[in-house]
CSV table of all heavy atoms in Angstrom, one decimal:
chain,number,residue,atom,x,y,z
A,1,THR,N,10.4,27.1,-5.5
A,1,THR,CA,11.5,28.0,-5.6
A,1,THR,C,12.7,27.4,-6.5
A,1,THR,O,13.7,28.0,-6.6
A,1,THR,CB,12.0,28.4,-4.2
A,1,THR,OG1,12.5,27.2,-3.6
A,1,THR,CG2,11.0,29.1,-3.4
A,2,GLY,N,12.4,26.2,-7.0
A,2,GLY,CA,13.4,25.6,-7.8
A,2,GLY,C,14.4,24.7,-7.0
A,2,GLY,O,15.3,24.1,-7.6
A,3,ASP,N,14.2,24.6,-5.7
A,3,ASP,CA,15.0,23.7,-4.9
A,3,ASP,C,14.7,22.3,-5.3
A,3,ASP,O,13.6,21.9,-5.6
A,3,ASP,CB,14.7,23.9,-3.4
A,3,ASP,CG,15.0,25.3,-2.9
A,3,ASP,OD1,16.0,25.9,-3.4
A,3,ASP,OD2,14.3,25.7,-2.0
A,4,LEU,N,15.8,21.4,-5.2
A,4,LEU,CA,15.6,20.0,-5.5
A,4,LEU,C,15.2,19.3,-4.2
A,4,LEU,O,15.8,19.5,-3.1
A,4,LEU,CB,17.0,19.4,-5.9
A,4,LEU,CG,16.9,18.0,-6.5
A,4,LEU,CD1,16.0,17.9,-7.7
A,4,LEU,CD2,18.3,17.6,-6.9
A,5,LEU,N,14.1,18.6,-4.3
A,5,LEU,CA,13.5,17.9,-3.1
A,5,LEU,C,13.6,16.4,-3.3
A,5,LEU,O,13.3,15.9,-4.3
A,5,LEU,CB,12.0,18.3,-3.0
A,5,LEU,CG,11.7,19.8,-2.9
A,5,LEU,CD1,10.2,20.0,-2.9
A,5,LEU,CD2,12.3,20.4,-1.7
A,6,ALA,N,14.0,15.7,-2.2
A,6,ALA,CA,14.0,14.3,-2.2
A,6,ALA,C,12.7,13.8,-1.5
A,6,ALA,O,12.5,14.2,-0.4
A,6,ALA,CB,15.2,13.7,-1.4
A,7,LEU,N,11.9,13.1,-2.2
A,7,LEU,CA,10.6,12.6,-1.7
A,7,LEU,C,10.8,11.3,-1.0
A,7,LEU,O,11.4,10.4,-1.5
A,7,LEU,CB,9.6,12.5,-2.8
A,7,LEU,CG,9.3,13.7,-3.6
A,7,LEU,CD1,8.3,13.4,-4.7
A,7,LEU,CD2,8.8,14.9,-2.8
A,8,ALA,N,10.4,11.2,0.3
A,8,ALA,CA,10.6,10.0,1.1
A,8,ALA,C,9.3,9.8,1.9
A,8,ALA,O,9.3,10.1,3.1
A,8,ALA,CB,11.8,10.2,2.0
A,9,PRO,N,8.3,9.1,1.3
A,9,PRO,CA,7.1,8.8,2.0
A,9,PRO,C,7.4,8.0,3.3
A,9,PRO,O,8.2,7.1,3.2
A,9,PRO,CB,6.2,8.1,1.0
A,9,PRO,CG,6.8,8.4,-0.3
A,9,PRO,CD,8.3,8.6,-0.1
A,10,LEU,N,6.7,8.3,4.4
A,10,LEU,CA,6.9,7.5,5.6
A,10,LEU,C,5.6,7.0,6.1
A,10,LEU,O,4.5,7.6,5.9
A,10,LEU,CB,7.5,8.4,6.7
A,10,LEU,CG,8.8,9.0,6.4
A,10,LEU,CD1,9.2,10.0,7.5
A,10,LEU,CD2,9.9,8.0,6.3
A,11,ALA,N,5.6,5.9,6.8
A,11,ALA,CA,4.4,5.3,7.4
A,11,ALA,C,4.9,4.5,8.7
A,11,ALA,O,6.0,4.2,8.8
A,11,ALA,CB,3.7,4.4,6.5
A,12,ASP,N,3.9,4.2,9.6
A,12,ASP,CA,4.3,3.5,10.8
A,12,ASP,C,4.0,2.0,10.7
A,12,ASP,O,4.1,1.3,11.7
A,12,ASP,CB,3.5,4.2,12.0
A,12,ASP,CG,2.0,4.0,11.9
A,12,ASP,OD1,1.5,3.4,10.9
A,12,ASP,OD2,1.3,4.5,12.7
A,13,GLY,N,3.7,1.5,9.6
A,13,GLY,CA,3.4,0.1,9.4
A,13,GLY,C,1.9,-0.3,9.5
A,13,GLY,O,1.6,-1.4,9.3
A,14,GLY,N,1.1,0.7,9.9
A,14,GLY,CA,-0.3,0.4,9.9
A,14,GLY,C,-1.1,0.9,8.7
A,14,GLY,O,-0.5,1.0,7.6
A,15,GLU,N,-2.3,1.3,8.9
A,15,GLU,CA,-3.1,1.8,7.8
A,15,GLU,C,-2.4,2.9,7.1
A,15,GLU,O,-1.9,3.9,7.7
A,15,GLU,CB,-4.5,2.2,8.3
A,15,GLU,CG,-5.5,2.6,7.2
A,15,GLU,CD,-6.8,2.9,7.8
A,15,GLU,OE1,-7.0,2.8,9.0
A,15,GLU,OE2,-7.7,3.3,7.0
A,16,GLY,N,-2.4,2.8,5.7
A,16,GLY,CA,-1.7,3.9,4.9
A,16,GLY,C,-0.3,3.5,4.5
A,16,GLY,O,0.3,4.2,3.7
A,17,THR,N,0.3,2.5,5.1
A,17,THR,CA,1.6,2.1,4.8
A,17,THR,C,1.8,1.8,3.3
A,17,THR,O,2.7,2.2,2.6
A,17,THR,CB,2.1,0.9,5.7
A,17,THR,OG1,2.1,1.4,7.0
A,17,THR,CG2,3.5,0.5,5.3
A,18,LEU,N,0.8,1.0,2.7
A,18,LEU,CA,1.0,0.6,1.3
A,18,LEU,C,0.9,1.9,0.4
A,18,LEU,O,1.6,1.9,-0.6
A,18,LEU,CB,-0.2,-0.4,0.9
A,18,LEU,CG,-0.1,-1.7,1.6
A,18,LEU,CD1,-1.2,-2.6,1.1
A,18,LEU,CD2,1.2,-2.4,1.2
A,19,ASP,N,0.1,2.8,0.8
A,19,ASP,CA,0.0,4.0,0.0
A,19,ASP,C,1.3,4.8,0.0
A,19,ASP,O,1.8,5.3,-1.0
A,19,ASP,CB,-1.1,4.9,0.5
A,19,ASP,CG,-2.5,4.3,0.3
A,19,ASP,OD1,-2.7,3.7,-0.8
A,19,ASP,OD2,-3.3,4.4,1.2
A,20,ALA,N,2.0,4.8,1.2
A,20,ALA,CA,3.3,5.5,1.3
A,20,ALA,C,4.3,4.8,0.5
A,20,ALA,O,5.1,5.4,-0.2
A,20,ALA,CB,3.7,5.6,2.7
A,21,ILE,N,4.3,3.5,0.5
A,21,ILE,CA,5.3,2.7,-0.3
A,21,ILE,C,5.1,2.9,-1.8
A,21,ILE,O,6.0,3.1,-2.5
A,21,ILE,CB,5.3,1.2,0.1
A,21,ILE,CG1,5.8,1.0,1.6
A,21,ILE,CG2,6.1,0.3,-0.8
A,21,ILE,CD1,5.5,-0.4,2.1
A,22,ALA,N,3.8,2.8,-2.2
A,22,ALA,CA,3.5,2.9,-3.6
A,22,ALA,C,3.9,4.3,-4.1
A,22,ALA,O,4.2,4.4,-5.3
A,22,ALA,CB,2.0,2.7,-3.8
A,23,ALA,N,3.8,5.3,-3.3
A,23,ALA,CA,4.1,6.7,-3.7
A,23,ALA,C,5.6,6.8,-4.1
A,23,ALA,O,5.9,7.7,-4.9
A,23,ALA,CB,3.8,7.7,-2.6
A,24,ALA,N,6.4,5.9,-3.6
A,24,ALA,CA,7.8,5.9,-4.0
A,24,ALA,C,8.1,5.4,-5.4
A,24,ALA,O,9.2,5.7,-6.0
A,24,ALA,CB,8.6,5.1,-3.0
A,25,GLY,N,7.1,4.7,-6.0
A,25,GLY,CA,7.3,4.2,-7.3
A,25,GLY,C,7.9,2.8,-7.4
A,25,GLY,O,8.5,2.4,-6.4
A,26,GLY,N,7.7,2.1,-8.5
A,26,GLY,CA,8.3,0.8,-8.7
A,26,GLY,C,7.4,-0.4,-8.1
A,26,GLY,O,8.0,-1.5,-7.9
A,27,TRP,N,6.1,-0.1,-7.9
A,27,TRP,CA,5.3,-1.1,-7.3
A,27,TRP,C,4.0,-1.3,-8.1
A,27,TRP,O,3.5,-0.3,-8.7
A,27,TRP,CB,4.9,-0.7,-5.8
A,27,TRP,CG,6.1,-0.6,-5.0
A,27,TRP,CD1,6.8,0.6,-4.7
A,27,TRP,CD2,6.8,-1.6,-4.3
A,27,TRP,NE1,7.9,0.3,-3.9
A,27,TRP,CE2,7.9,-1.0,-3.6
A,27,TRP,CE3,6.6,-3.0,-4.2
A,27,TRP,CZ2,8.8,-1.8,-2.9
A,27,TRP,CZ3,7.4,-3.7,-3.4
A,27,TRP,CH2,8.5,-3.1,-2.7
A,28,ASP,N,3.5,-2.5,-8.1
A,28,ASP,CA,2.2,-2.8,-8.7
A,28,ASP,C,1.2,-3.2,-7.6
A,28,ASP,O,1.5,-4.0,-6.7
A,28,ASP,CB,2.3,-3.9,-9.8
A,28,ASP,CG,3.2,-3.5,-10.9
A,28,ASP,OD1,3.1,-2.4,-11.4
A,28,ASP,OD2,4.0,-4.4,-11.4
A,29,TRP,N,0.0,-2.7,-7.7
A,29,TRP,CA,-1.1,-3.1,-6.8
A,29,TRP,C,-1.7,-4.5,-7.2
A,29,TRP,O,-1.8,-4.8,-8.4
A,29,TRP,CB,-2.2,-2.1,-6.8
A,29,TRP,CG,-1.9,-0.8,-6.1
A,29,TRP,CD1,-1.5,0.3,-6.7
A,29,TRP,CD2,-1.9,-0.6,-4.7
A,29,TRP,NE1,-1.3,1.3,-5.8
A,29,TRP,CE2,-1.5,0.8,-4.5
A,29,TRP,CE3,-2.2,-1.4,-3.6
A,29,TRP,CZ2,-1.4,1.3,-3.3
A,29,TRP,CZ3,-2.1,-0.8,-2.4
A,29,TRP,CH2,-1.7,0.5,-2.2
A,30,ARG,N,-2.0,-5.3,-6.2
A,30,ARG,CA,-2.7,-6.5,-6.4
A,30,ARG,C,-3.9,-6.6,-5.3
A,30,ARG,O,-3.8,-5.9,-4.3
A,30,ARG,CB,-1.8,-7.7,-6.1
A,30,ARG,CG,-0.6,-7.8,-7.0
A,30,ARG,CD,-1.1,-8.3,-8.4
A,30,ARG,NE,0.0,-8.7,-9.2
A,30,ARG,CZ,0.6,-7.9,-10.1
A,30,ARG,NH1,0.3,-6.7,-10.2
A,30,ARG,NH2,1.6,-8.4,-10.8
A,31,THR,N,-4.9,-7.4,-5.6
A,31,THR,CA,-6.0,-7.6,-4.6
A,31,THR,C,-6.2,-9.1,-4.5
A,31,THR,O,-6.2,-9.8,-5.4
A,31,THR,CB,-7.3,-6.9,-5.1
A,31,THR,OG1,-7.0,-5.5,-5.3
A,31,THR,CG2,-8.4,-7.0,-4.1
A,32,THR,N,-6.4,-9.5,-3.2
A,32,THR,CA,-6.6,-10.9,-2.9
A,32,THR,C,-7.8,-11.0,-2.0
A,32,THR,O,-7.9,-10.2,-1.0
A,32,THR,CB,-5.4,-11.5,-2.3
A,32,THR,OG1,-4.3,-11.4,-3.2
A,32,THR,CG2,-5.6,-13.0,-1.9
A,33,ASP,N,-8.6,-12.0,-2.2
A,33,ASP,CA,-9.7,-12.3,-1.2
A,33,ASP,C,-9.2,-13.0,0.0
A,33,ASP,O,-8.5,-14.0,-0.1
A,33,ASP,CB,-10.8,-13.2,-1.9
A,33,ASP,CG,-11.5,-12.5,-3.0
A,33,ASP,OD1,-11.7,-11.3,-2.9
A,33,ASP,OD2,-11.9,-13.2,-3.9
A,34,VAL,N,-9.4,-12.4,1.2
A,34,VAL,CA,-8.9,-13.0,2.4
A,34,VAL,C,-10.1,-13.0,3.4
A,34,VAL,O,-11.2,-12.5,3.2
A,34,VAL,CB,-7.8,-12.1,3.1
A,34,VAL,CG1,-6.6,-12.1,2.1
A,34,VAL,CG2,-8.2,-10.7,3.4
A,35,MET,N,-9.9,-13.7,4.5
A,35,MET,CA,-10.9,-13.8,5.5
A,35,MET,C,-10.7,-12.8,6.6
A,35,MET,O,-9.6,-12.7,7.2
A,35,MET,CB,-10.9,-15.2,6.2
A,35,MET,CG,-12.1,-15.4,7.1
A,35,MET,SD,-12.2,-17.1,7.8
A,35,MET,CE,-12.3,-18.1,6.3
A,36,GLY,N,-11.6,-11.9,6.9
A,36,GLY,CA,-11.5,-10.9,7.9
A,36,GLY,C,-11.6,-11.5,9.3
A,36,GLY,O,-11.8,-12.7,9.5
A,37,PRO,N,-11.4,-10.6,10.3
A,37,PRO,CA,-11.4,-11.1,11.7
A,37,PRO,C,-12.7,-11.8,12.2
A,37,PRO,O,-12.7,-12.5,13.1
A,37,PRO,CB,-11.1,-9.9,12.5
A,37,PRO,CG,-11.5,-8.7,11.7
A,37,PRO,CD,-11.3,-9.2,10.3
A,38,LEU,N,-13.8,-11.4,11.5
A,38,LEU,CA,-15.1,-12.0,11.9
A,38,LEU,C,-15.5,-13.1,10.9
A,38,LEU,O,-16.7,-13.6,10.9
A,38,LEU,CB,-16.2,-10.9,12.0
A,38,LEU,CG,-15.9,-9.8,13.0
A,38,LEU,CD1,-17.0,-8.8,12.9
A,38,LEU,CD2,-15.8,-10.4,14.4
A,39,GLY,N,-14.6,-13.6,10.1
A,39,GLY,CA,-14.8,-14.7,9.2
A,39,GLY,C,-15.5,-14.2,7.9
A,39,GLY,O,-15.8,-15.1,7.0
A,40,GLN,N,-15.7,-13.0,7.6
A,40,GLN,CA,-16.3,-12.5,6.4
A,40,GLN,C,-15.2,-12.3,5.3
A,40,GLN,O,-14.1,-12.0,5.6
A,40,GLN,CB,-17.0,-11.2,6.7
A,40,GLN,CG,-16.2,-9.9,6.8
A,40,GLN,CD,-15.4,-9.7,8.1
A,40,GLN,OE1,-15.3,-10.6,8.9
A,40,GLN,NE2,-14.9,-8.6,8.2
A,41,PRO,N,-15.6,-12.4,4.1
A,41,PRO,CA,-14.6,-12.2,3.0
A,41,PRO,C,-14.3,-10.7,2.9
A,41,PRO,O,-15.1,-9.9,3.0
A,41,PRO,CB,-15.3,-12.7,1.7
A,41,PRO,CG,-16.8,-12.7,2.1
A,41,PRO,CD,-16.9,-12.9,3.5
A,42,VAL,N,-13.0,-10.4,2.6
A,42,VAL,CA,-12.5,-9.0,2.5
A,42,VAL,C,-11.6,-9.0,1.3
A,42,VAL,O,-10.8,-9.9,1.1
A,42,VAL,CB,-11.8,-8.6,3.7
A,42,VAL,CG1,-11.2,-7.2,3.5
A,42,VAL,CG2,-12.6,-8.6,5.0
A,43,ASP,N,-11.7,-8.0,0.4
A,43,ASP,CA,-10.7,-7.8,-0.6
A,43,ASP,C,-9.6,-7.0,-0.1
A,43,ASP,O,-9.8,-5.8,0.3
A,43,ASP,CB,-11.4,-7.0,-1.8
A,43,ASP,CG,-12.4,-7.8,-2.6
A,43,ASP,OD1,-12.2,-9.1,-2.6
A,43,ASP,OD2,-13.3,-7.2,-3.2
A,44,ALA,N,-8.4,-7.6,0.1
A,44,ALA,CA,-7.3,-6.9,0.6
A,44,ALA,C,-6.3,-6.5,-0.5
A,44,ALA,O,-5.9,-7.4,-1.3
A,44,ALA,CB,-6.6,-7.8,1.7
A,45,ARG,N,-5.8,-5.3,-0.5
A,45,ARG,CA,-4.8,-4.9,-1.4
A,45,ARG,C,-3.4,-5.2,-0.9
A,45,ARG,O,-3.2,-5.2,0.3
A,45,ARG,CB,-4.9,-3.4,-1.7
A,45,ARG,CG,-6.2,-2.9,-2.2
A,45,ARG,CD,-6.3,-1.4,-2.3
A,45,ARG,NE,-5.8,-0.7,-1.1
A,45,ARG,CZ,-5.2,0.4,-1.1
A,45,ARG,NH1,-5.0,1.1,-2.2
A,45,ARG,NH2,-4.8,1.0,0.1
A,46,TRP,N,-2.5,-5.4,-1.8
A,46,TRP,CA,-1.1,-5.6,-1.4
A,46,TRP,C,-0.2,-5.1,-2.6
A,46,TRP,O,-0.8,-4.8,-3.7
A,46,TRP,CB,-0.8,-7.0,-1.0
A,46,TRP,CG,-1.1,-8.1,-2.0
A,46,TRP,CD1,-2.4,-8.5,-2.3
A,46,TRP,CD2,-0.2,-8.8,-2.9
A,46,TRP,NE1,-2.3,-9.5,-3.3
A,46,TRP,CE2,-1.0,-9.7,-3.6
A,46,TRP,CE3,1.2,-8.7,-3.0
A,46,TRP,CZ2,-0.4,-10.6,-4.5
A,46,TRP,CZ3,1.7,-9.6,-3.9
A,46,TRP,CH2,0.9,-10.5,-4.7
A,47,LEU,N,1.1,-4.9,-2.4
A,47,LEU,CA,2.0,-4.5,-3.4
A,47,LEU,C,3.0,-5.5,-3.7
A,47,LEU,O,3.5,-6.3,-2.9
A,47,LEU,CB,2.7,-3.2,-2.9
A,47,LEU,CG,1.9,-1.9,-2.7
A,47,LEU,CD1,2.8,-0.9,-2.0
A,47,LEU,CD2,1.4,-1.4,-4.1
A,48,ILE,N,3.4,-5.5,-5.0
A,48,ILE,CA,4.5,-6.3,-5.4
A,48,ILE,C,5.5,-5.4,-6.2
A,48,ILE,O,5.0,-4.6,-7.0
A,48,ILE,CB,4.1,-7.6,-6.2
A,48,ILE,CG1,5.3,-8.5,-6.5
A,48,ILE,CG2,3.4,-7.2,-7.5
A,48,ILE,CD1,4.9,-9.9,-6.9
């Protein structure tokens, strides 16, 4: 309708938080190999 909207993605700090932060803009994705809870390698994403 032409209304001006302020976008403010929200998350609770768990799964999906990085996606909400990235949606706000000004972030670059990175991936790092980490050890999962059972000792297996996991590719974990993070933002800078």
Side-chain angles (χ1 to χ4, degrees):
T1 60
D3 295 331
L4 190 59
L5 307 173
L7 304 178
L10 299 174
D12 65 1
E15 187 175 355
T17 296
L18 292 181
D19 294 319
I21 293 169
W27 300 93
D28 294 319
W29 286 100
R30 299 285 193 267
T31 303
T32 302
D33 293 328
V34 300
M35 187 178 300
L38 301 177
Q40 79 284 13
V42 175
D43 289 333
R45 301 175 312 149
W46 56 284
L47 291 172
I48 189 164

